[in-house]
């Protein structure tokens, strides 16, 4: 069982020795003292570090109004730009497809997943490596249509963690497309730290062997995705922080966000009757976890004392997971500084979707006698705290209301950005990230690949918005996941919850909390947006069906 102490660092030699030894003991020697590379030469292409959190709520980070300790993310925001209206797809794998391909997930057979990506699809390394970039991947992958990060994704180095049920003892992970043995519990492994270890190792190697070349690093943490697994020392920092309950936390976050200028809307009400359809029934949750479990976002003062105790503990673990991720991001940033690359590295930070209201039990199941957050436990955040994490918006991961799709986007680039600590309200989508990277790298997407024509990227570069808010316009932003549908055109958003759910119409300029449905009052506007959504849905599905353009 974990002691809660900071986990030991995992080097490349550890990986290889461990793989050779099979299930034997894991060596935990630490490679220190990386030599600094020369500072970036004038005119050199920038490096890129794209950091993705997993199921982190829009308001969780301190720089977006949260009370969780995220000093490294806060420092990036203070030294760069925060976008307030950038969107994910609402779910893990389609969001990652958008980030790495620059296309909507529906265009590339990734929502729902249907076999290999179309033959015309390229991932970020396929655009960047011809420009001389070295490309690295550390962490979650989830690109079903290109299952191997090196062979299919074009990365030079990869640590691919595919076990989403075990932070302390993963059974499914690969290095450079080669399978690694399962990790035994109690060996000192913790996923967030192991992912950062790999990133630091890749950067150290880059400084030593490829200092003259730029790099693109895709750093995809699995935190704070369920199960709620964290180091006990990290949990202790937040143990009593959330006894006040989710209603109080939501109010405090919302007030800070308004004061910071991140939102101008009201605080959405709790929705106690809404939860994912695949959640375990509340009586089953209480049978398997205990009387403290709560399956709905009800007012805090209606909970029993046992429920208040467990729910506060769960949020403490969620906060601990984000706190640890921020600390590990700090180690990666320190490595950039050590190798002289920090000034000319464009850092982008996002979360793949809103916080999750899911409550299921997988993996090694849940032992009610185990310390919460340890490897023998399997707890999920649930709708109450997910609502708080997504403050001030409605709904959660998998929905395409604002709570499911609103993502932080922090952009930091000391050598290239004049802005410091500024906000951008320019709307954007994850399909815009790859076009942004390509523009900042001084590149354009070739209209052909492997001798055949390719469609233009769906996204638009956000680079102009780095200099001036509102400089980037979109014809539309499209959403469709699990039957949940939405389209945004200008400030107008049409959205539905489920295939049979009615269309709802909102003016996001004044109502991002989606509380005033205008569909009945403006039926022509709703009809126009519905028609636009269907046209794009049809076009995207047609593209996905073809391997040639």
């Amino acid at each position: 069982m974990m002691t809660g102490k900071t986990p030991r660092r995992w080097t490349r030699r550890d990986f290889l020795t461990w793989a050779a030894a099979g299930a034997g003991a894991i060596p935990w020697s630490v490679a220190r003292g990386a030599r600094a590379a020369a500072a970036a030469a004038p005119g050199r292409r920038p490096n890129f570090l794209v950091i993705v959190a997993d199921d982190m709520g829009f308001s969780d980070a301190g720089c977006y109004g949260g009370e969780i300790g995220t000093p490294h993310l806060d420092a990036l925001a203070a030294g760069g730009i925060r976008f307030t209206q950038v969107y994910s797809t609402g779910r893990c794998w389609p969001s990652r497809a958008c980030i790495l391909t620059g296309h909507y997930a529906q265009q590339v057979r990734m929502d729902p997943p249907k076999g290999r990506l179309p033959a015309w699809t390229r991932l970020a390394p396929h655009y960047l490596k011809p420009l001389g970039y070295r490309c690295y991947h550390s962490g979650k992958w989830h690109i079903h249509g290109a299952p191997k990060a090196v062979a299919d994704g074009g990365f030079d180095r990869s640590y691919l963690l595919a076990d989403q049920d075990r932070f302390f003892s993963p059974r499914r992970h690969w290095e450079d497309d080669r399978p690694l043995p399962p990790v035994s519990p109690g060996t000192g492994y913790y996923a967030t730290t192991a992912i950062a270890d790999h990133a630091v190792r890749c950067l150290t190697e880059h400084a030593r062997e490829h200092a003259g070349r730029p790099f693109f690093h895709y750093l995809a943490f699995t935190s704070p995705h369920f199960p709620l697994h964290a180091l006990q020392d990290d949990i202790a920092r937040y143990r009593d922080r959330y006894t006040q309950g989710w209603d109080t936390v939501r109010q405090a976050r919302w007030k800070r966000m308004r004061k910071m200028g991140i939102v101008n809307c009201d605080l959405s009400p709790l929705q106690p009757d809404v939860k994912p359809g695949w959640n375990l029934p509340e009586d089953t949750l209480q049978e398997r976890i205990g009387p403290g479990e709560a399956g709905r976002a009800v007012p805090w003062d209606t909970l029993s004392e046992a429920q208040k105790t467990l729910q506060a503990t769960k949020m403490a673990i969620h906060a601990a997971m984000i706190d640890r991720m921020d600390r590990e991001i700090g180690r990666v940033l320190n490595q950039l500084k050590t190798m002289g690359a920090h000034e000319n590295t464009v850092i982008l930070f996002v979360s793949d979707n809103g916080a999750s209201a899911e409550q299921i039990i997988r993996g090694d199941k849940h032992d009610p006698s185990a310390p919460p957050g340890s490897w023998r436990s399997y707890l999920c955040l649930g709708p109450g705290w997910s609502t708080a994490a997504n403050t001030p918006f409605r709904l959660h991961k998998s929905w395409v209301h604002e709570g499911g799709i609103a993502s932080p986007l922090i952009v930091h680039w000391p050598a290239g950005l004049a802005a410091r600590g500024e906000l951008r309200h320019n709307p954007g989508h994850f399909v815009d990230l790859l076009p942004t990277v390509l523009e900042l790298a001084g590149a354009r997407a070739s209209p052909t690949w492997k001798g055949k024509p390719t469609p233009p990227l769906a996204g638009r570069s956000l680079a102009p918005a780095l200099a001036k808010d509102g400089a980037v316009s979109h014809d539309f932003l499209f959403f469709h996941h699990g039957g949940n549908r939405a389209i945004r055109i200008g400030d107008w958003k049409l959205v539905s919850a489920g295939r049979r759910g009615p269309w709802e119409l909102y003016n996001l300029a004044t109502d991002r909390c989606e509380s005033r449905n205008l569909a009945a009052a403006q039926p022509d506007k709703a009809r126009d947006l519905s028609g636009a959504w269907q046209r794009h849905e049809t076009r995207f599905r047609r593209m996905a069906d073809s391997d040639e353009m």
Side-chain angles (χ1 to χ4, degrees):
M1 186 183 303
M2 288 297 299
T3 63
K5 297 180 179 179
T6 301
R8 291 164 286 185
R9 309 304 181 200
W10 214 10
T11 67
R12 177 173 174 81
R13 179 175 295 178
D14 292 334
F15 267 122
L16 297 177
T17 304
W18 182 39
I26 303 173
W28 290 101
S29 58
V30 180
R32 301 284 187 184
R35 300 293 180 263
R44 180 177 175 180
R45 297 184 193 272
N47 308 302
F48 295 93
L49 174 62
V50 178
I51 308 173
V52 184
D54 198 349
D55 292 7
M56 180 174 169
F58 183 74
S59 67
D60 273 333
C63 53
Y64 277 84
E67 68 294 317
I68 300 171
T70 55
H72 297 101
L73 291 178
D74 297 350
L76 292 177
I81 290 171
R82 283 165 293 163
F83 282 78
T84 65
Q85 297 191 63
V86 165
Y87 293 111
S88 71
T89 69
R91 200 68 175 272
C92 307
W93 62 88
S95 287
R96 294 160 199 277
C98 293
I99 292 170
L100 289 175
T101 71
H103 292 286
Y104 284 102
Q106 292 76 20
Q107 295 174 285
V108 294
R109 303 174 186 162
M110 278 292 292
D111 197 0
K114 293 183 178 179
R116 302 283 300 190
L117 301 179
W120 49 262
T121 311
R122 286 172 282 182
L123 276 67
H126 300 134
Y127 295 97
L128 294 172
K129 290 177 73 173
L131 304 177
Y133 279 82
R134 292 275 296 176
C135 296
Y136 308 107
H137 158 251
S138 305
K140 192 167 181 175
W141 184 242
H142 229 173
I143 307 293
H144 303 289
K148 295 183 178 181
V150 175
D152 300 321
F155 285 89
D156 294 292
R157 291 282 186 270
S158 167
Y159 173 54
L160 193 161
L161 179 59
D163 190 338
Q164 194 57 74
D165 292 318
R166 300 170 181 86
F167 277 79
F168 296 112
S169 53
R171 297 180 182 179
R172 298 169 57 240
H173 56 160
W174 291 260
E175 186 181 29
D176 299 340
D177 293 350
R178 297 188 298 272
L180 294 168
V183 179
S184 298
T187 55
Y189 178 102
Y190 184 64
T192 307
T193 301
I195 290 168
D197 284 345
H198 182 264
V200 170
R201 195 162 59 252
C202 288
L203 293 171
T204 302
E205 178 187 272
H206 186 92
R208 183 178 63 246
E209 300 180 11
H210 307 284
R213 296 174 60 182
F215 63 81
F216 172 87
H217 201 127
Y218 178 57
L219 177 56
F221 290 101
T222 57
S223 179
H225 191 288
F226 65 83
L228 295 173
H229 280 174
L231 304 173
Q232 294 299 313
D233 285 351
D234 290 345
I235 298 171
R237 282 191 285 272
Y238 296 92
R239 192 168 305 281
D240 298 322
R241 181 76 61 87
Y242 295 104
T243 56
Q244 59 193 304
W246 47 62
D247 296 322
T248 300
V249 169
R250 291 184 77 222
Q251 283 282 340
R253 288 190 179 193
W254 172 62
K255 290 178 180 178
R256 284 193 296 268
M257 296 171 82
R258 288 183 64 96
K259 185 176 181 179
M260 297 164 81
I262 293 173
V263 298
N264 67 349
C265 61
D266 296 331
L267 179 63
S268 64
L270 294 174
Q271 294 188 260
D273 295 330
V274 178
K275 62 178 182 177
W278 52 90
N279 277 16
L280 292 172
E282 188 157 4
D283 56 353
T284 302
L285 288 169
Q286 293 192 350
E287 176 185 346
R288 298 184 184 180
I289 292 174
E293 191 54 286
R296 296 183 183 274
V298 298
W300 183 261
D301 61 9
T302 67
L303 297 178
S304 69
E305 289 305 312
Q307 287 177 315
K308 290 178 179 179
T309 298
L310 179 60
Q311 299 310 304
T313 297
K314 291 202 304 179
M315 185 60 188
I317 302 170
H318 175 81
M321 296 172 78
I322 293 171
D323 182 301
R324 173 53 52 186
M325 178 176 63
D326 185 83
R327 291 168 188 262
E328 300 301 341
I329 289 171
R331 285 205 301 125
V332 176
L333 299 180
N334 286 338
Q335 174 58 31
L336 292 179
K337 295 172 183 176
T338 298
M339 58 196 278
H342 185 261
E343 291 294 306
N344 199 34
T345 297
V346 180
I347 301 172
L348 307 174
F349 174 85
V350 297
S351 177
D352 66 347
N353 44 248
S356 173
E358 293 162 290
Q359 288 181 293
I360 57 180
I361 301 176
R362 304 188 310 202
D364 299 317
K365 309 306 178 186
H366 178 74
D367 181 351
S369 67
S374 67
W375 73 269
R376 291 190 295 116
S377 68
Y378 201 107
L379 298 170
C380 298
L381 191 60
W385 284 118
S386 176
T387 302
N390 295 329
T391 298
F393 303 134
R394 283 180 58 197
L395 299 181
H396 323 269
K397 168 186 175 180
S398 79
W399 279 273
V400 294
H401 286 70
E402 296 290 287
I405 58 177
S407 170
L409 169 59
I410 302 170
V411 183
H412 183 273
W413 183 21
L417 283 182
R420 297 291 185 270
E422 295 183 8
L423 297 177
R424 294 290 184 269
H425 302 296
N426 206 128
H429 190 284
F430 282 4
V431 295
D432 299 329
L433 298 185
L434 180 56
T436 304
V437 167
L438 294 181
E439 179 169 347
L440 297 181
R444 291 187 178 183
S446 168
T448 62
W449 191 47
K450 296 182 179 179
K452 295 184 177 181
T454 61
L457 294 175
R460 295 190 176 182
S461 171
L462 297 175
L466 301 180
K468 181 182 179 182
D469 197 12
V472 179
S473 62
H474 294 79
D475 295 332
F476 66 92
L477 298 174
F478 177 88
F479 308 89
H480 188 192
H481 178 71
N484 301 314
R485 304 163 292 160
I487 188 168
R488 176 171 175 169
I489 298 179
D491 288 326
W492 289 99
K493 180 181 175 183
L494 192 72
V495 60
S496 76
R499 293 178 180 86
R500 299 180 180 178
W503 283 116
E504 305 164 19
L505 178 67
Y506 300 102
N507 184 343
L508 299 187
T510 57
D511 187 24
R512 275 196 80 193
C513 66
E514 297 169 314
S515 63
R516 296 183 291 277
N517 182 5
L518 301 176
Q522 300 206 38
D524 292 343
K525 175 66 71 174
R527 189 179 305 112
D528 289 346
L529 267 63
S530 175
W533 183 91
Q534 189 57 60
R535 287 193 297 274
H536 295 305
E537 167 77 4
T538 300
R539 179 168 62 92
F540 290 165
R541 299 301 180 188
R542 188 180 301 122
M543 290 178 65
D545 288 340
S546 177
D547 281 316
E548 294 189 6
M549 288 290 106

